[in-house]
Amino acid sequence: MADEHDHAVDDVHAAPALLAREWQDISQTLKREIGDVAFRSWLQGVEFVSPAPGEVVLKAPSAVACNWIRSHYADRVRELWAARNPAVRRLEIKADASVRTVPSALHSAAALAIKPSADPVPAAVPAPVISDDASMGILDPRFTFENFVVGKPNELAHAAARRVAEAEVDSVPFNPLFLYGGVGLGKTHLMHAIAHAIRKRGPGRRVLYLSAEKFMYEFVRAVRFKDTVEFKEQFRSVDVLMIDDIQFICGKDSTQEEFFHTFNALVDQHRQIIISADKSPSDLEGMEERLRSRLGWGLVADIHPTTYELRLGILQARAETLKCHVSDKVLEFLAHKISSNVRELEGALTRIAAHADLIGRPITLETTQELLRDLLRANDRRVTIEEIQRKVAEHFNVKVAEMHSDRRSRIVARPRQVAMYLSKQLTSYSLPDIGRKFGGRDHTTVMHAVKKVDELMLADSTFAEDVELLRRALSG
C-alpha cells in the first residue's frame, strides 16, 4: 500500500499541468539570472510540452537556439527542476519539428537525465541550422553605421563596409572583405553594422555572423557526433558569412582545412564573405599559406589607431547618446589621456556620467581624475619628449614636424614653446637636451620658451587652461 501511495504522489507531482506551471516559474528565474536581452534572444520562444507524466520537452524555435540553450542553460534548467520537483525523470531540449535539423537519432541522444545522484548525460548538439532570426540574435543593437564615428584612421574600412552592406543581392564588391586592427578600434562594430544593414535591406537573406572560436567549436562538435555533412551544408548555404577574430584558428590545422573548403565553396557561389582579425592576412602566424593567400584576395582594410580628433568625436557622440552634459575640457582631457582603446574611452565617459547622475554633482576635471584613477594609472607610462610633441601638435592642429622646423610664425612657434615648457615640467631632461630634441636649438631658446609660456598663462586664462589640460593629459 505504501508503494502504491508513493507512486500516486509521484504521478501527481509529474502531471503535465503542474510541470507547465513549474516551467513558467523556472523560466522567470532564468530571466532574472541572465537578463532580459539574453532571455528574449534565446528562451522567450521556447515551447513547453509534456508527452507523459514525469517527462518534459522544451522545443526551441530553431536549431541554433536549441544548440545555444543546450550549451549554456541546460545544466541550470536541470538544477532548478531537480530542486523543485524530483518526480521529473527526463528532460529533452530539441528544435521545433518545422525547422530542418539533424536526424532524430541525435535528439534521443540529447535527452538529459534529471537525477540528482547521477552525472548528466552530455547533450549531442547538432550543427546550427541557419535561420535569420537566430543568426541575428547575437548582434549588438548599438553597433550600427549610424552610431559609428568616422575619421581618417577608419574611413577606408567604413567605406568598404558600407559598400558591401549596400550591394545588391547578386553583387559581391570585394570577396572577402578583410578588416583588421588592434583591440577596441571598431572592427566588431563594423561587422555588426554590416549585418544589421544587410538584414534591413533584404530580410530574406541568410546572414551568419559568428566568431572564429565558435566556428571551431561547432566543427569539433560535428566531428565528434559524426555530423560533418550537415555542418558543411549549413555553413555553405548562407548568403553572407561573417567570421570575427579569424586569428583564433591560427595553428588549428583541421579547422583551417574546413574553413578553407567553406571559403572556396562560398566564393564559387558568389556569396559574400567578411572577415576580421587583429593583423593583416600576411602577418597571421600559424595560418596556412594557401588560406592567407585567399584571405587577401579581396579588399584588405586596416583600422589605424585613433587620432585625437577621432577620439574627441567619439566622446561627443557618446555624450549625446548618454544625454549628459560634459564640458569640452573634460572631453578633451579624456581624448588626450586614453588613446589606445575606444572601449576604455567610452567606458570612462559612461562611468563619470553615471556618477554625475547618481550623486548629482557636476563633472569636472578634478572629479574625472578621481573617478578614473585606476584607469588613468593603467594608461600611465613614462612621458617622453616625443610624446609631448605629438600631443601638443594634435591639440593645436599642427604637424609634429613643425616642432623641429625653423618656422617662426605664431601658429607654429606658440605650440613649439608649449611643448618645450611641458618637456621642462614633465621630464628630467636638461635644457640643452630638450633643445636638441627640438631641431638642435640652443638651451637659451628653451629658457625663453619656458618664460614666455609662464607669462602667457598669467595673462590669458584660456591659454592657461589649454596648457593645464595638456599637462594633466600627459602626466595623469
Side-chain angles (χ1 to χ4, degrees):
M1 289 294 292
D3 289 343
E4 290 179 3
H5 175 73
D6 291 342
H7 285 307
V9 172
D10 286 346
D11 288 342
V12 171
H13 288 169
L18 175 63
L19 297 178
R21 290 194 298 271
E22 290 176 348
W23 166 240
Q24 292 300 319
D25 292 340
I26 288 171
S27 64
Q28 289 305 307
T29 300
L30 288 169
K31 185 176 182 179
R32 289 192 297 271
E33 291 181 352
I34 67 176
D36 289 345
V37 175
F39 184 85
R40 286 197 304 270
S41 297
W42 302 111
L43 293 169
Q44 187 161 280
V46 171
E47 179 185 354
F48 169 86
V49 178
S50 180
E55 295 187 5
V56 170
V57 176
L58 300 179
K59 296 171 65 176
S62 71
V64 174
C66 175
N67 176 14
W68 188 268
I69 293 168
R70 287 172 175 168
S71 300
H72 294 79
Y73 307 126
D75 288 344
R76 183 56 178 154
V77 172
R78 184 186 304 108
E79 291 173 1
L80 291 170
W81 230 313
R84 184 177 294 269
N85 189 348
V88 177
R89 297 182 297 274
R90 182 172 176 270
L91 168 66
E92 184 177 357
I93 300 173
K94 68 179 185 179
D96 190 286
S98 62
V99 179
R100 183 169 63 89
T101 184
V102 296
S104 59
L106 283 180
H107 292 311
S108 60
L112 304 177
I114 310 189
K115 293 183 180 179
S117 61
D119 293 332
V121 178
V125 180
V129 171
I130 309 307
S131 67
D132 291 325
D133 291 338
S135 62
M136 293 295 101
I138 57 174
L139 296 179
D140 192 321
R142 300 171 301 168
F143 291 169
T144 64
F145 284 120
E146 290 73 23
N147 295 332
F148 189 82
V149 180
V150 183
K152 286 186 177 180
N154 59 30
E155 59 184 358
L156 173 60
H158 174 264
R162 278 279 196 184
R163 177 70 62 83
V164 168
E166 296 170 359
E168 297 300 324
V169 174
D170 57 349
S171 174
V172 182
F174 322 106
N175 217 9
L177 171 60
F178 191 101
L179 306 173
Y180 78 93
V183 175
L185 297 183
K187 302 186 302 297
T188 298
H189 189 142
L190 281 179
M191 294 278 281
H192 285 223
I194 293 170
H196 281 306
I198 291 176
R199 178 64 189 278
K200 185 176 180 179
R201 284 174 55 84
R205 297 184 72 185
R206 293 165 295 176
V207 181
L208 177 60
Y209 167 89
L210 74 166
S211 66
E213 180 180 10
K214 183 65 174 175
F215 179 88
M216 185 193 74
Y217 176 76
E218 295 296 345
F219 174 62
V220 170
R221 292 179 76 88
V223 171
R224 177 184 173 190
F225 297 111
K226 299 179 175 59
D227 192 45
T228 55
V229 172
E230 182 71 16
F231 176 90
K232 294 175 189 293
E233 289 179 357
Q234 298 307 320
F235 275 92
R236 299 178 192 186
S237 65
V238 298
D239 296 308
V240 182
L241 177 62
M242 310 179 72
I243 305 287
D244 210 352
D245 291 325
I246 196 67
Q247 73 273 1
F248 184 84
I249 67 172
C250 287
K252 300 178 174 61
D253 296 340
S254 298
T255 303
Q256 287 188 42
E257 177 80 15
E258 179 57 35
F259 180 72
F260 174 81
H261 294 301
T262 298
F263 182 99
N264 287 341
L266 290 174
V267 169
D268 289 344
Q269 298 173 61
H270 303 288
R271 307 291 175 83
Q272 179 69 62
I273 302 173
I274 305 164
I275 306 291
S276 80
D278 61 350
K279 300 176 182 177
S280 69
S282 59
D283 293 331
L284 289 173
E285 297 180 5
M287 188 73 75
E288 292 182 9
E289 179 58 37
R290 59 177 183 171
L291 188 50
R292 278 209 305 265
S293 174
R294 279 161 175 75
L295 292 175
W297 269 0
L299 176 63
V300 177
D302 63 331
I303 302 178
H304 299 285
T306 54
T307 61
Y308 167 76
E309 291 80 11
L310 179 56
R311 293 193 297 275
L312 187 58
I314 290 170
L315 287 170
Q316 290 168 343
R318 182 64 176 163
E320 289 182 11
T321 301
L322 295 172
K323 297 180 180 179
C324 66
H325 174 71
V326 185
S327 70
D328 290 341
K329 293 300 180 183
V330 171
L331 294 180
E332 289 168 4
F333 170 72
L334 292 175
H336 272 301
K337 188 60 182 174
I338 304 175
S339 58
S340 62
N341 192 314
V342 173
R343 292 177 194 150
E344 285 189 352
L345 190 67
E346 292 182 332
L349 182 60
T350 300
R351 192 193 302 187
I352 63 174
H355 180 270
D357 181 54
L358 295 171
I359 306 301
R361 295 176 185 170
I363 300 171
T364 64
L365 277 177
E366 288 72 22
T367 58
T368 296
Q369 281 191 300
E370 179 65 25
L371 287 171
L372 302 179
R373 183 184 303 168
D374 57 331
L375 183 60
L376 297 177
R377 187 184 300 115
N379 280 273
D380 276 345
R381 62 184 184 280
R382 186 176 180 180
V383 181
T384 65
I385 291 178
E386 290 77 12
E387 175 69 4
I388 292 171
Q389 291 174 337
R390 186 176 68 81
K391 289 285 188 183
V392 172
E394 282 184 354
H395 183 78
F396 288 100
N397 198 27
V398 299
K399 296 179 179 178
V400 177
E402 299 291 7
M403 296 291 165
H404 311 275
S405 73
D406 293 328
R407 290 183 61 190
R408 296 187 177 183
S409 61
R410 179 174 293 183
I411 195 172
V412 296
R414 189 70 75 230
R416 189 162 55 226
Q417 289 175 332
V418 169
M420 290 180 183
Y421 171 86
L422 291 171
S423 297
K424 176 65 171 62
Q425 297 291 322
L426 301 177
T427 74
S428 57
Y429 285 98
S430 65
L431 294 180
D433 286 338
I434 293 173
R436 281 191 286 273
K437 293 283 188 177
F438 285 83
R441 286 176 164 78
D442 188 79
H443 75 282
T444 57
T445 304
V446 180
M447 290 176 61
H448 172 73
V450 171
K451 181 179 178 181
K452 184 67 176 177
V453 170
D454 274 330
E455 292 173 352
L456 288 172
M457 289 177 68
L458 289 173
D460 186 342
S461 60
T462 301
F463 178 78
E465 287 181 2
D466 279 346
V467 176
E468 178 62 14
L469 173 68
L470 284 165
R471 188 190 68 79
R472 287 173 182 264
L474 286 160
S475 65

